[in-house]
Amino acid sequence: MKSFLLGFTILSLQINVLYGCFEEERSALLDFKASVQAIEGDTAGLLLRSWSNETSSGDCCKWERVTCNSTTGHVIMLFLNETRPNYDDMSGWSLNISIFHHFMELRSLDLSLNAIAEFIGNEDSKSYKLNKLENLDLSWNYLDNQVLKVLGQFKALKSLYLQNNVISGSLSDQGLSALSNLKILNLHFNELNGTLPIQFLANFKSLEILDLSWNEFTGSIPSNIGRLLPSLKVLTLSRNFLNGNLPTPGLCQLQKLKELDLSLNSFRGAIPPCLGKLTQLNALNLSRNHLTGSVLKTLSNLSRVESLDLSYNSLSGEIPQELTVLHFLKFFSVAYNKLSGRIPDIKRRFGKFDKSSYEGNSLLCGVPLNKSCKRFS
């Protein structure tokens, strides 16, 4: 009996791959198209032209924006971004999430740039079948906190893009903590506030990219952030209301970090010397804060850094000659600080940067500034 069932299953899969995608998945895609057309009219057909009920084009695996598994015939990727052509003049769209319950093997779903305001449909966790969904892009919509309750069901998620929505409140009050497999979490440009919650961050040991920029977070960076997020490679906290000193050794324990952006906040105190130990860094942006002290010689240990921005602070002293060993540096700025002395030798690395990298420091001299160092000697 078991061998019969196995043989029947294999035969069913072979027949399905030969004659097209699964009927329930094809019907679900047509339901999605119909829901767009209900708002947009016939213009939606221009974007989903191949999605048709006609026998000659009924294989949804051959439709635009759809990718199927070549072995099982199941849909595994859907690129449904910008399916509403009149995005600039949109009202919020309530999308029925139950449309996607039919996709048993769906791995990646892109619904960005659709002006989705909410998900409607059955929110009973037992009804969700997207238990293999790993990548979900909901960016550039009108989604609020309601969506987070839905997302908590998709425990296989590895990347979640929620930037440019209207999610508000404290992160610790939301429903994302169950997504312990996340590697990418992007919440850029929302309305989140409160402090950076330690208990929330502790759920994401595998997180590699965290973007909380352009929100309204206050307070300081948790001193144990390095222990909480040991796998972090990109940390972006720019354009918030964060303050206090940069935590040592917290930030300096993030040994895998490649990008660190803390710009446009209110951090004070000196640059931690141990940042020079983050030798994997490609980009460091500490601009537009209230940092004091000097430009550290230890930053010369960042041998892979390509972008170093320390502008618009209150740093003083000289620019260390040691920084000229940063051979991969493509962008450099210490503009609008309180630096003094001669700009490092223009015949070496720093000769490639123009005066915009140094302007706003009245006591700096040398090339490329039009100030002779003789007047300061």
Side-chain angles (χ1 to χ4, degrees), residues 118-176:
E118 64 175 342
F119 286 138
I120 59 174
N122 190 347
E123 294 187 9
D124 180 359
S125 62
K126 294 182 180 179
S127 72
Y128 288 112
K129 297 180 180 180
L130 292 172
N131 55 6
K132 294 185 179 180
L133 188 65
E134 295 182 350
N135 307 300
L136 179 59
D137 191 343
L138 296 173
S139 61
W140 290 91
N141 283 293
Y142 301 149
L143 293 164
D144 60 16
N145 299 47
Q146 179 262 355
V147 71
L148 303 181
K149 299 176 182 179
V150 176
L151 297 179
Q153 311 297 330
F154 306 143
K155 293 182 173 57
L157 278 180
K158 293 183 179 179
S159 60
L160 177 57
Y161 299 92
L162 287 167
Q163 65 266 36
N164 294 81
N165 279 285
V166 289
I167 301 168
S168 61
S170 170
L171 265 181
S172 58
D173 297 333
Q174 315 297 357
L176 298 179

Side-chain angles (χ1 to χ4, degrees), residues 181-365:
N181 293 311
L182 278 182
K183 292 188 175 182
I184 300 174
L185 177 58
N186 192 331
L187 285 159
H188 165 86
F189 210 100
N190 277 279
E191 299 172 8
L192 293 162
N193 55 43
T195 59
L196 298 176
I198 295 177
Q199 293 304 317
F200 173 80
L201 295 175
N203 295 301
F204 306 111
K205 298 296 185 184
S206 300
L207 201 64
E208 296 181 0
I209 298 176
L210 176 61
D211 189 343
L212 300 177
S213 60
W214 287 79
N215 279 282
E216 300 171 12
F217 288 109
T218 57
S220 58
I221 298 175
S223 59
N224 56 349
I225 190 171
R227 180 174 58 82
L228 296 176
L229 302 173
S231 301
L232 207 59
K233 295 180 180 179
V234 176
L235 177 60
T236 304
L237 299 174
S238 61
R239 183 43 181 84
N240 278 285
F241 301 104
L242 297 169
N243 53 53
N245 294 334
L246 299 181
T248 305
L251 287 175
C252 304
Q253 291 175 335
L254 296 169
Q255 291 296 310
K256 296 182 180 180
L257 211 58
K258 293 185 177 182
E259 295 182 23
L260 177 60
D261 188 350
L262 304 178
S263 61
L264 286 157
N265 280 286
S266 297
F267 293 115
R268 298 182 178 276
I271 299 173
C274 62
L275 285 184
K277 296 181 180 180
L278 301 181
T279 55
Q280 302 299 310
L281 274 181
N282 299 127
L284 175 61
N285 190 346
L286 302 178
S287 67
R288 297 182 185 272
N289 281 286
H290 306 296
L291 297 175
T292 55
S294 61
V295 178
L296 300 175
K297 296 179 181 180
T298 56
L299 295 179
S300 64
N301 295 324
L302 305 179
S303 59
R304 300 185 182 186
V305 74
E306 298 178 6
S307 177
L308 178 57
D309 193 348
L310 305 176
S311 61
Y312 291 91
N313 280 288
S314 296
L315 300 172
S316 58
E318 298 185 351
I319 301 173
Q321 288 283 342
E322 286 81 358
L323 297 189
T324 58
V325 303
L326 300 177
H327 299 298
F328 295 104
L329 204 57
K330 297 176 181 178
F331 177 85
F332 175 75
S333 181
V334 289
Y336 295 96
N337 278 282
K338 299 177 180 179
L339 299 172
S340 59
R342 182 186 295 272
I343 293 171
D345 190 349
I346 63 170
K347 295 181 180 180
R348 303 175 71 183
R349 172 56 43 189
F350 279 45
K352 64 184 294 184
F353 304 115
D354 61 29
K355 64 180 182 180
S356 65
S357 295
Y358 311 102
E359 62 187 0
N361 293 279
S362 60
L363 297 179
L364 272 183
C365 62

Side-chain angles (χ1 to χ4, degrees), residues 63-133:
W63 291 352
E64 60 192 301
R65 300 168 173 259
V66 179
T67 302
C68 292
N69 185 308
S70 59
T71 301
T72 67
H74 280 291
V75 173
I76 57 173
M77 301 177 72
L78 290 173
F79 303 95
L80 306 181
N81 54 303
E82 295 186 86
T83 53
R84 295 182 59 185
N86 300 318
Y87 182 84
D88 292 335
D89 186 27
M90 287 186 184
S91 57
W93 177 24
S94 296
L95 178 62
N96 192 335
I97 193 174
S98 63
I99 290 174
F100 301 104
H101 294 172
H102 301 281
F103 299 100
M104 304 295 293
E105 291 189 14
L106 191 64
R107 299 298 202 278
S108 184
L109 175 60
D110 187 347
L111 288 167
S112 61
L113 286 159
N114 276 307
I116 302 170
E118 64 175 342
F119 286 138
I120 59 174
N122 190 347
E123 294 187 9
D124 180 359
S125 62
K126 294 182 180 179
S127 72
Y128 288 112
K129 297 180 180 180
L130 292 172
N131 55 6
K132 294 185 179 180
L133 188 65

